[in-house]
Amino acid sequence: MNHEKQYAPLGVFDSGVGGLTVAREIMRQLPQERIIYFGDTARVPYGTKSRETVTRYSRQIVHFLLGKGVKAIVVACNTASAFALEEIREELPVPIIGVVKPGAKVAAETTGNGIIGVIGTEATISSQLYTRTIHEHNPNAVVIGKACPLFVSLVEEGWLKDPITVAVAQRYLESFRQSGMDTLIMGCTHYPLLRSTLRGILGETVNLVNPAYETARGLKELLEGHGILNDGNGVCQGTKHQFYVSDAAEKFKNFANSILPCEIKEAQLIHIEE
């Protein structure tokens, strides 16, 4: 086992704050691991941008994280997972995992009637990656996708249970009502924060799949497979987790502290284009 690698941090990146739901799950499920998180807050959102642009941004961020000595990378963004992951995987000296495939696999394996809904950004839904991945595990599944772009702004505004958010969610989810869907993938990292609102509209019978949770589980398997899971015996140098952003550091820090299990003292500003 490579002890130096074993005690190195994990790199986690997202277009902004949504990926903090993935960081939160990693902190809960792999408490011994250190995280270096990058939120591309200057160029958010990714969900309306082209494949080429998202791939370029992702390459810049991965380069930054590799410079920090990370042992593995988590693409904590559904859009970047859908657009950039497979292309940059080949170029990397470390293992990489995205959020789409772990969530899709669990949905495909746990659905009872094979009717699966996916909500996400325009880019994630139009990429059809969830549909393709679900069909790899369950060829007969019926997959219904719906872009829900307003959810991101509502979450970032902190309106998690606001009547406006409930009304928007009811309108978005209307198209699933007659579908008979028994499983819904929350295919954007912001959406798990709306879990109780979605549950209230859909009722108890629909299984809500949280890709952030499944990604943390998949990450543990990935690290074990490469022999680089932190056993907790290494000495942690400096602060345990580090947070970097490309803009609006104070706003990011406030949001992070509202959802993470540990308090973050600062988010450092990085000019990623350089």
Side-chain angles (χ1 to χ4, degrees):
M1 183 176 289
N2 185 338
H3 287 296
E4 193 181 328
K5 264 260 173 92
Q6 190 185 358
Y7 302 130
L10 298 165
V12 179
F13 81 89
D14 178 47
S15 57
V17 298
L20 289 167
T21 59
V22 180
R24 177 172 72 172
E25 287 298 336
I26 295 169
M27 289 173 186
R28 283 175 179 165
Q29 296 183 44
L30 303 170
Q32 67 281 20
E33 297 291 351
R34 293 190 291 138
I35 293 171
I36 295 180
Y37 183 99
F38 181 85
D40 199 1
T41 43
R43 304 185 295 196
V44 69
Y46 281 11
T48 52
K49 293 182 171 68
S50 69
R51 178 182 293 270
E52 291 70 26
T53 297
V54 171
T55 304
R56 189 176 85 241
Y57 290 175
S58 299
R59 271 205 184 93
Q60 290 170 350
I61 297 164
V62 163
H63 183 73
F64 167 74
L65 292 171
L66 289 173
K68 294 283 178 194
V70 301
K71 65 180 176 182
I73 290 174
V74 181
V75 186
C77 170
N78 283 267
T79 304
S81 296
F83 278 178
L85 180 62
E86 294 310 320
E87 194 168 322
I88 58 180
R89 186 194 297 279
E90 306 303 314
E91 308 161 8
L92 294 184
V94 299
I96 187 168
I97 184 173
V99 284
V100 171
K101 293 194 171 178
K105 181 173 184 281
V106 165
E109 290 169 354
T110 56
T111 177
N113 65 7
I115 305 173
I116 301 169
V118 183
I119 51 176
T121 64
E122 298 279 0
T124 300
I125 299 302
S126 67
S127 77
Q128 297 280 306
L129 182 59
Y130 269 107
T131 304
R132 288 200 304 276
T133 309
I134 288 166
H135 284 154
E136 282 170 21
H137 298 282
N138 186 337
N140 299 319
V142 176
V143 184
I144 308 157
K146 174 76 178 168
C148 303
L150 292 175
F151 278 166
V152 170
S153 305
L154 292 164
V155 167
E156 293 194 8
E157 202 58 55
W159 295 4
L160 303 183
K161 294 177 178 161
D162 191 274
I164 290 174
T165 306
V166 174
V168 169
Q170 281 172 328
R171 186 176 288 197
Y172 277 150
L173 298 174
E174 187 61 43
S175 55
F176 293 117
R177 252 181 225 297
Q178 307 304 321
S179 67
M181 158 189 92
D182 74 348
T183 302
L184 179 69
I185 300 173
M186 298 180 283
C188 169
T189 48
H190 284 74
Y191 297 179
L193 298 170
L194 296 173
R195 187 189 189 99
S196 61
T197 297
L198 299 174
R199 168 67 65 224
I201 294 167
L202 294 169
E204 295 300 322
T205 54
V206 175
N207 173 33
L208 294 178
V209 174
N210 177 359
Y213 176 82
E214 305 305 339
T215 299
R217 286 181 59 191
L219 174 65
K220 185 179 184 194
E221 287 174 20
L222 183 74
L223 296 175
E224 284 172 341
H226 283 81
I228 53 174
L229 185 72
N230 190 332
D231 59 12
N233 294 327
V235 179
C236 176
Q237 305 294 335
T239 51
K240 184 164 184 184
H241 305 301
Q242 296 170 32
F243 297 85
Y244 297 89
V245 292
S246 50
D247 195 16
E250 197 62 25
K251 188 178 175 192
F252 174 91
K253 189 183 84 170
N254 292 339
F255 189 87
N257 283 329
S258 75
I259 69 164
L260 290 180
C262 63
E263 190 196 350
I264 78 165
K265 297 279 189 283
E266 70 159 345
Q268 297 179 53
L269 204 56
I270 294 291
H271 298 293
I272 195 75
E273 303 254 355
E274 297 161 19

